[in-house]
Amino acid sequence: MNEQKFQEKIDLERKIEPKDWMPEEYRSHLIRQISQHAHSEIIGMQPEGNWISRAPSLRAKMILLAKVQDEAGHGLYLYSACETLGISREELVQQLHDGKAKYSSIFNYPTLSWADMGAVGWLVDGAAIVNQVSLQRTSYGPYSRGMVKICKEESFHQRQGYEIMAEMAKGTPEQKEMAQDALNRFWWPSIMMFGPQDSDSPRTGNAMKWKIKRQFNDELRQKFIDQTVGQVKVIGLEIPDPDLKWNEERGHYDFGKMNWDEFWSVVNGNGPCNIQRLDHHKKAHSEGEWVRKAARSYSNKQEIINA
Ligand code: 3HC
């Protein structure tokens, strides 16, 4: 009976809130997805954080600093949304450290030049926006509200990245070459962010039935490609896909074969930077223990004072 009432609520587009009855599978599906999303935000701070001290100007440094701080905030919203499902922050972090929880494949790739800051902001945050705008309509209330807040900040992330790429593309020949190299290295990993093809996406069935996902992986990937090709042309760079071609009949760009072996290898923890990313997170987490202790003792003291 509960299942039927639950599904009726979903079908009526009513949000599911933390105290509502929900199938255990719905809860665990959300914990998995929201925790991965949160881990992605926090791990994603590393490739960009590496360039804060090497930004080419004070303005560039301030913008990148603000962006990386935003990502920490996005992680906070998403961990908090995840905790409403009955799992603690400590458990979530432990699952990440144990390799039991994933984070977005894209953050397994190194950032080798300043142009990569442009490619990451423009392509990675651009892809995340396409995915997250859709997720604003997800059925779980705290996740949906977190997405609305996050989407407001992502467009700044995407614009600042595109500005870096546009400036370098019209700069010296070396700068243009650096921008093209960054595009060459980040194009395919960025479109892999949307997940496997729908035919290979084991989670999508339930995700669509429960309206956790509102659009299919392939549909969002295609939307991102269609909207990005024009942006690449404007700044005079080339997309590293010889099969990319407008298909009038489909009304979309056809594109080349994706390297799904690379995708699954990265998703299963064999990405080029995975060990480095997790080691860095473990070190930062243990060095931050005193901050968590201080915050806890302060809040305990406040509780005693207010009791
Ligand atoms: N990276 C890592 N793992 C991925 C992945 C990717 N790009 N795509 C799929 N996977 C994993 C899934 O998590 C699932 O693994 P699991 O069963 O062990 O959890 C498996 O591969 C099968 O994939 P499915 O398509 O069946 O899984 P989903 O239905 O969950 O779809 C998804 C994958 C589209 C990534 C979906 O989980 C999703 O929309 N997640 C929320 C959005 C998100 O995580 N975005 C991260 C972008 S980075 C970011 O937002 C930071 C920004 O500031 C740049």
Side-chain angles (χ1 to χ4, degrees):
M1 186 49 180
N2 276 335
E3 297 264 355
Q4 190 190 333
K5 276 205 188 125
F6 171 80
Q7 194 59 50
E8 278 164 14
K9 264 175 99 169
I10 294 282
D11 297 342
L12 287 169
E13 294 290 339
R14 284 177 39 205
K15 291 291 179 224
I16 305 300
E17 297 299 337
K19 289 197 168 54
D20 293 347
W21 184 89
M22 60 184 84
E24 266 322 296
E25 262 191 296
Y26 177 81
R27 184 190 303 278
S28 56
H29 188 119
L30 280 170
I31 288 175
R32 177 192 62 79
Q33 176 166 331
I34 302 174
S35 69
Q36 284 173 39
H37 204 156
H39 296 325
S40 303
E41 302 283 2
I42 299 302
I43 297 287
M45 292 168 73
Q46 291 185 35
E48 291 177 308
N50 289 341
W51 281 89
I52 290 173
S53 58
R54 293 182 277 170
S57 71
L58 183 59
R59 177 180 180 272
K61 182 191 282 242
M62 288 195 300
I63 292 174
L64 186 58
L65 207 48
K67 183 200 187 290
V68 172
Q69 280 173 324
D70 278 352
E71 305 302 3
H74 296 175
L76 178 66
Y77 306 146
L78 289 164
Y79 281 128
S80 302
C82 208
E83 286 171 287
T84 65
L85 290 157
I87 185 167
S88 72
R89 186 74 58 91
E90 290 72 18
E91 285 170 281
L92 292 168
V93 171
Q94 198 54 53
Q95 286 174 358
L96 174 69
H97 289 174
D98 297 344
K100 290 198 185 92
K102 295 183 172 71
Y103 58 89
S104 189
S105 47
I106 188 66
F107 298 122
N108 272 283
Y109 294 85
T111 44
L112 306 174
S113 78
W114 176 252
D116 288 12
M117 292 305 100
V120 167
W122 171 37
L123 299 175
V124 175
D125 288 70
I129 290 173
V130 170
N131 171 286
Q132 291 170 160
V133 163
S134 176
L135 278 172
Q136 289 180 121
R137 295 184 297 120
T138 190
S139 58
Y140 188 56
Y143 193 22
S144 161
R145 293 186 288 272
M147 280 298 102
V148 170
K149 190 153 173 44
I150 286 173
C151 285
K152 287 190 170 59
E153 293 170 344
E154 287 294 3
S155 34
F156 146 62
H157 297 176
Q158 195 261 4
R159 297 306 306 159
Q160 64 85 35
Y162 189 54
E163 183 190 78
I164 292 172
M165 290 300 265
E167 275 178 14
M168 293 189 79
K170 65 172 193 300
T172 63
E174 294 78 13
Q175 285 172 329
K176 179 162 185 174
E177 196 189 320
M178 203 186 266
Q180 184 59 58
D181 170 58
L183 176 56
N184 293 345
R185 284 182 288 108
F186 276 91
W187 175 256
W188 290 102
S190 296
I191 59 181
M192 287 178 186
M193 285 171 65
F194 293 96
Q197 289 168 299
D198 297 333
S199 49
D200 301 335
S201 177
R203 305 275 191 180
T204 289
N206 278 343
M208 295 304 276
K209 180 177 93 175
W210 291 326
K211 296 189 180 179
I212 293 172
K213 265 186 188 175
R214 301 310 303 261
Q215 289 166 278
F216 289 99
N217 296 356
D218 287 335
E219 185 188 346
L220 292 173
R221 187 181 354 262
Q222 183 68 67
K223 183 172 178 215
F224 172 70
I225 290 170
D226 290 349
Q227 74 182 33
T228 309
V229 173
Q231 294 169 9
V232 178
K233 285 184 182 153
V234 165
I235 57 176
L237 295 179
E238 292 283 321
I239 287 179
D241 177 2
D243 299 323
L244 187 81
K245 194 162 157 297
W246 179 252
N247 181 322
E248 195 51 44
E249 207 181 306
R250 284 181 62 229
H252 295 292
Y253 279 93
D254 292 336
F255 55 97
K257 286 222 169 328
M258 296 177 68
N259 183 339
W260 293 112
D261 292 341
E262 177 187 334
F263 171 79
W264 287 114
S265 162
V266 171
V267 162
N268 292 319
N270 307 308
C273 295
N274 185 41
I275 295 170
Q276 170 193 337
R277 298 282 187 247
L278 290 184
D279 285 351
H280 181 93
H281 190 283
K282 288 172 188 166
K283 181 170 177 290
H285 190 69
S286 69
E287 287 170 357
E289 176 55 25
W290 70 272
V291 177
R292 292 190 292 278
K293 263 205 189 111
R296 269 195 294 269
S297 59
Y298 176 76
S299 63
N300 295 344
K301 195 181 96 213
Q302 284 310 101
E303 274 160 27
I304 295 161
I305 293 170
N306 299 339

